[in-house]
């Protein structure tokens, strides 16, 4: 069965510190991988996606993610967090033509 | 493009009333998805359409929920009768059709959601 696990429900980091949000997936084939961000009262916005090729992908707002096939992981990173990054982050997996499966989300809090 | 447009943004209704949520997908996106988001259950896929045809409605909680997509530019999600436990944020998302267009464009675009409160 296809599934996405985001092990951390909440993460708190200090402004200016680095960030890594974890995502592990279970899928029959190498899936397409996505990270979305949801600010309070807003819809989900696409941060970045991976289809193939270079396993390190760059996204908007200074985020990047690395696909590691051996670990079935697609962790999201940012070198220096800003207070405006406080939001909920969702990892999603799927294949072209199939519906995406979303993780439960990780809530990021940024302390000043 | 204006993105995925949902209306209304907020809806407060009394238990037992009919509620209709609306969605206009991005032009050219022929896959449309309805999600419900709550604190307890997170993001749940209710139903999705490809080319206006419902493909998977296994997430629709019960017969009180129905969804239609009469044309490529409009979809509705109806709850009749509404109950307090239906209170949630309902999102619509659209995507390019499966197997069509460049794969690099694949991915959902979400609307801003409708916050439904049933009292």
């Amino acid at each position: 069965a296809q599934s996405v696990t985001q092990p951390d429900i909440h993460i708190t980091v200090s402004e200016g510190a680095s960030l890594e949000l974890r995502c592990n997936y279970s899928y029959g084939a190498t899936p397409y991988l996505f990270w979305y961000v949801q600010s309070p009262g807003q819809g989900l916005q696409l941060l970045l996606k991976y289809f193939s090729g270079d396993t390190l992908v760059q996204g908007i707002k200074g985020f990047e993610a690395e696909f590691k096939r051996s670990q079935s992981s697609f962790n999201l990173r940012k070198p220096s967090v800003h207070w405006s990054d406080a939001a909920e982050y969702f990892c999603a997996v799927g294949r072209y033509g199939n519906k995406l499966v979303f993780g439960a989300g990780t809530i990021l809090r940024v302390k000043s | 493009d204006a993105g995925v447009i949902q209306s209304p943004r907020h809806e407060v209704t009394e238990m037992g009333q009919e509620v209709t949520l609306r969605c206009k997908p991005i032009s050219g996106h022929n896959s449309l998805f309805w999600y419900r988001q709550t604190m307890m259950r997170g993001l749940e896929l209710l139903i999705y359409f490809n080319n206006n045809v419902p493909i998977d409605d296994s997430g629709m909680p019960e017969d009180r929920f129905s969804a239609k997509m009469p044309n490529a530019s409009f979809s509705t999600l109806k709850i009749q009768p509404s109950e307090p436990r239906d209170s949630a944020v309902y999102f619509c998302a659209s995507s390019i059709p499966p197997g069509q267009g460049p794969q690099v464009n694949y991915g959902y675009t979400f609307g801003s959601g409708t916050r439904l409160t049933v009292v």
Side-chain angles (χ1 to χ4, degrees):
Chain A
Q2 303 151 6
S3 66
V4 179
T5 301
Q6 294 180 243
D8 305 303
I9 298 174
H10 297 98
I11 281 187
T12 301
V13 300
S14 298
E15 190 170 15
S18 64
L19 170 70
E20 182 168 30
L21 302 182
R22 296 182 291 163
C23 173
N24 294 95
Y25 66 88
S26 173
Y27 207 86
T30 299
Y32 298 163
L33 297 153
F34 305 80
W35 275 99
Y36 285 84
V37 60
Q38 184 181 28
S39 297
Q42 302 297 316
L44 279 71
Q45 180 186 18
L46 181 65
L47 278 177
L48 49 78
K49 56 188 175 183
Y50 170 80
F51 290 132
S52 63
D54 192 345
T55 57
L56 186 63
V57 294
Q58 303 297 320
I60 62 172
K61 306 185 180 188
F63 285 92
E64 66 178 27
E66 185 172 12
F67 168 57
K68 293 185 177 180
R69 184 191 307 272
S70 61
Q71 299 177 18
S72 296
S73 69
F74 188 57
N75 294 349
L76 182 71
R77 300 195 294 250
K78 187 169 185 178
S80 177
V81 169
H82 188 263
W83 64 266
S84 60
D85 294 324
E88 188 164 14
Y89 292 79
F90 294 90
C91 180
V93 302
R95 284 294 295 177
Y96 189 53
N98 294 318
K99 62 186 180 183
L100 293 185
V101 177
F102 284 85
T106 297
I107 296 172
L108 172 65
R109 299 191 179 108
V110 180
K111 57 182 181 180
S112 56
Chain B
D1 199 316
V4 177
I5 299 173
Q6 291 187 246
S7 64
R9 285 298 309 271
H10 302 274
E11 176 81 35
V12 181
T13 190
E14 291 186 347
M15 182 174 61
Q17 296 298 305
E18 178 180 293
V19 175
T20 299
L21 311 181
R22 297 173 177 79
C23 176
K24 176 179 170 56
I26 291 174
S27 177
H29 281 196
N30 287 358
S31 293
L32 184 139
F33 307 82
W34 282 102
Y35 283 86
R36 178 172 68 177
Q37 186 178 40
T38 60
M39 289 290 291
M40 292 297 296
R41 301 175 68 90
L43 199 61
E44 302 174 275
L45 177 64
L46 300 178
I47 185 171
Y48 78 96
F49 297 82
N50 283 342
N51 297 312
N52 312 338
V53 176
I55 302 301
D56 183 352
D57 64 355
S58 60
M60 296 285 263
E62 48 197 278
D63 292 345
R64 298 184 297 107
F65 286 69
S66 63
K68 294 182 179 179
M69 192 165 185
N71 57 62
S73 59
F74 184 67
S75 176
T76 59
L77 178 68
K78 186 177 293 187
I79 308 172
Q80 166 63 22
S82 58
E83 297 182 3
R85 61 194 168 116
D86 301 330
S87 297
V89 181
Y90 291 81
F91 288 104
C92 175
S94 69
S95 176
I96 60 173
Q100 298 182 29
Q103 295 182 26
V104 293
N105 291 342
Y106 178 58
Y108 295 6
T109 301
F110 281 80
S112 297
T114 295
R115 180 173 295 278
L116 173 64
T117 303
V118 183
V119 298

